[in-house]
Coordinates of all heavy atoms in Angstrom, one line a residue:
Q244 N 6.8 -19.2 -18.9 CA 7.3 -20.5 -18.6 C 8.7 -20.6 -19.2 O 9.0 -20.4 -20.3 CB 6.4 -21.6 -19.3 CG 6.8 -23.0 -19.0 CD 5.9 -24.0 -19.5 OE1 4.8 -23.6 -20.0 NE2 6.2 -25.3 -19.3
K245 N 9.6 -21.0 -18.3 CA 11.0 -21.0 -18.7 C 11.3 -22.3 -19.4 O 11.0 -23.4 -18.9 CB 11.9 -20.9 -17.4 CG 13.4 -20.9 -17.8 CD 14.2 -20.7 -16.5 CE 15.7 -20.8 -16.9 NZ 16.6 -20.7 -15.7
A246 N 12.0 -22.3 -20.5 CA 12.4 -23.5 -21.2 C 13.5 -24.1 -20.5 O 14.4 -23.5 -20.0 CB 12.8 -23.1 -22.7
T248 N 16.0 -25.9 -21.4 CA 17.2 -26.2 -22.2 C 18.4 -25.4 -21.8 O 19.5 -25.9 -22.0 CB 16.9 -26.0 -23.7 OG1 16.4 -24.6 -23.9 CG2 15.8 -26.9 -24.2
D249 N 18.2 -24.2 -21.3 CA 19.4 -23.4 -21.0 C 19.3 -22.8 -19.6 O 18.6 -21.8 -19.4 CB 19.5 -22.2 -22.1 CG 20.8 -21.4 -21.9 OD1 21.6 -21.8 -21.1 OD2 20.9 -20.3 -22.5
P250 N 20.1 -23.4 -18.7 CA 20.1 -22.9 -17.3 C 20.8 -21.5 -17.2 O 20.7 -20.9 -16.2 CB 20.8 -23.9 -16.5 CG 21.8 -24.5 -17.5 CD 21.0 -24.5 -18.8
F251 N 21.4 -21.0 -18.3 CA 22.1 -19.7 -18.2 C 21.2 -18.6 -18.9 O 21.8 -17.6 -19.3 CB 23.4 -19.8 -18.9 CG 24.3 -20.8 -18.3 CD1 24.4 -22.1 -18.8 CD2 25.1 -20.5 -17.1 CE1 25.3 -23.0 -18.2 CE2 25.9 -21.5 -16.5 CZ 26.0 -22.7 -17.1
D252 N 19.9 -18.8 -19.0 CA 19.0 -17.8 -19.5 C 19.2 -16.5 -18.8 O 19.0 -16.5 -17.6 CB 17.6 -18.3 -19.4 CG 16.6 -17.4 -20.1 OD1 16.9 -16.2 -20.2 OD2 15.5 -17.9 -20.4
P253 N 19.7 -15.4 -19.4 CA 20.0 -14.2 -18.7 C 18.8 -13.4 -18.2 O 18.9 -12.6 -17.4 CB 20.8 -13.4 -19.7 CG 20.2 -13.9 -21.0 CD 19.9 -15.3 -20.9
V254 N 17.6 -13.6 -18.9 CA 16.4 -12.9 -18.5 C 15.6 -13.6 -17.5 O 15.1 -12.9 -16.5 CB 15.6 -12.6 -19.8 CG1 14.3 -11.8 -19.4 CG2 16.4 -11.8 -20.8
C255 N 15.3 -14.9 -17.6 CA 14.4 -15.6 -16.7 C 15.0 -15.9 -15.4 O 14.3 -16.1 -14.4 CB 13.9 -16.9 -17.4 SG 12.9 -16.6 -18.8
S256 N 16.4 -16.0 -15.3 CA 17.0 -16.3 -14.0 C 17.1 -15.1 -13.2 O 18.1 -14.4 -13.1 CB 18.4 -16.9 -14.2 OG 18.3 -18.1 -15.0
V257 N 16.0 -14.7 -12.5 CA 15.9 -13.4 -11.8 C 16.7 -13.5 -10.5 O 17.4 -12.5 -10.2 CB 14.5 -13.1 -11.5 CG1 14.4 -11.8 -10.7 CG2 13.7 -12.9 -12.8
V259 N 19.2 -15.8 -9.5 CA 20.4 -16.6 -9.5 C 21.4 -16.0 -10.6 O 21.0 -15.7 -11.7 CB 20.2 -18.1 -9.7 CG1 19.6 -18.4 -11.1 CG2 21.5 -18.8 -9.6
Y261 N 24.7 -17.1 -12.5 CA 25.6 -18.3 -12.8 C 27.0 -17.8 -13.3 O 27.1 -16.8 -14.0 CB 25.0 -19.2 -13.9 CG 23.7 -19.9 -13.5 CD1 22.5 -19.5 -14.0 CD2 23.8 -21.0 -12.7 CE1 21.3 -20.1 -13.7 CE2 22.6 -21.7 -12.4 CZ 21.4 -21.2 -12.9 OH 20.2 -21.9 -12.5
R263 N 30.3 -19.7 -15.1 CA 30.9 -20.9 -15.7 C 32.3 -21.0 -15.3 O 33.0 -20.1 -15.2 CB 30.8 -20.9 -17.2 CG 29.3 -20.8 -17.8 CD 29.4 -20.6 -19.3 NE 28.1 -20.3 -19.8 CZ 27.3 -21.2 -20.4 NH1 27.6 -22.5 -20.4 NH2 26.1 -20.8 -20.9
E284 N 20.7 -25.7 -12.8 CA 19.3 -25.3 -12.4 C 18.8 -26.2 -11.3 O 18.1 -25.7 -10.4 CB 18.4 -25.3 -13.7 CG 17.0 -24.9 -13.4 CD 16.9 -23.4 -13.2 OE1 17.8 -22.7 -13.6 OE2 15.8 -23.0 -12.7
T369 N 25.9 -11.1 -18.0 CA 25.1 -12.3 -17.9 C 23.7 -12.1 -17.5 O 22.8 -13.0 -17.8 CB 25.7 -13.3 -16.9 OG1 25.8 -12.7 -15.6 CG2 27.1 -13.7 -17.4
S370 N 23.3 -11.0 -16.9 CA 21.9 -10.9 -16.4 C 21.6 -9.4 -16.1 O 22.4 -8.6 -16.1 CB 21.7 -11.7 -15.1 OG 22.4 -11.1 -14.1
P371 N 20.3 -9.1 -16.0 CA 19.9 -7.8 -15.6 C 20.5 -7.4 -14.2 O 20.9 -6.2 -14.1 CB 18.4 -7.9 -15.4 CG 18.0 -9.0 -16.3 CD 19.1 -10.0 -16.2
F389 N 19.4 -3.7 -20.1 CA 20.0 -5.0 -20.4 C 19.4 -5.6 -21.6 O 18.2 -5.7 -21.7 CB 19.9 -5.9 -19.2 CG 20.4 -7.3 -19.5 CD1 21.8 -7.5 -19.5 CD2 19.6 -8.4 -19.6 CE1 22.3 -8.8 -19.8 CE2 20.1 -9.6 -19.9 CZ 21.4 -9.9 -20.0
G391 N 19.1 -8.8 -23.4 CA 19.3 -10.2 -23.2 C 19.7 -11.0 -24.4 O 20.4 -12.0 -24.2
R394 N 23.3 -10.1 -24.6 CA 23.9 -9.9 -23.3 C 24.7 -8.7 -23.2 O 25.9 -8.6 -22.8 CB 24.8 -11.2 -23.0 CG 24.0 -12.5 -23.0 CD 24.8 -13.6 -22.4 NE 24.0 -14.8 -22.4 CZ 24.3 -15.9 -21.7 NH1 25.4 -16.0 -21.0 NH2 23.5 -17.0 -21.7
G412 N 13.8 -9.7 -24.9 CA 14.8 -10.0 -23.8 C 15.4 -8.7 -23.2 O 16.5 -8.8 -22.6

Side-chain angles (χ1 to χ4, degrees):
Q244 183 174 356
K245 183 179 178 182
T248 54
D249 184 9
F251 300 97
D252 185 335
V254 176
C255 293
S256 300
V257 175
V259 61
Y261 293 106
R263 300 173 190 264
E284 182 72 17
T369 57
S370 71
F389 173 73
R394 301 192 178 191

